[in-house]
Amino acid sequence: MKLVVVKPFAGLARGDVITDKDRIDAILKGENALHVVRVTTQGGAAGGGK
């Protein structure tokens, strides 16, 4: 899973991609969780495969 920024925060711009697992966890647990969307690839945590 990765995150894509939809509203700028903490020096990140809209469209920036976050792939570091520790940073993802911290963002999702914090006040900026609403400023990102989760993106999975085929076969990722949300399924996507057959």
Side-chain angles (χ1 to χ4, degrees), residues 1-24:
M1 176 179 66
K2 59 186 174 183
L3 300 179
V4 177
V5 177
V6 294
K7 185 174 180 184
F9 68 95
L12 295 169
R14 184 176 181 183
D16 283 350
V17 177
I18 302 158
T19 57
D20 179 73
K21 184 183 180 327
D22 292 334
R23 192 165 188 195
I24 289 171

Side-chain angles (χ1 to χ4, degrees), residues 25-46:
D25 291 342
I27 290 169
L28 293 178
K29 290 178 185 176
E31 63 185 30
N32 292 310
L34 297 176
H35 298 176
V36 297
V37 292
R38 298 177 197 203
V39 178
T40 59
T41 55
Q42 196 168 23

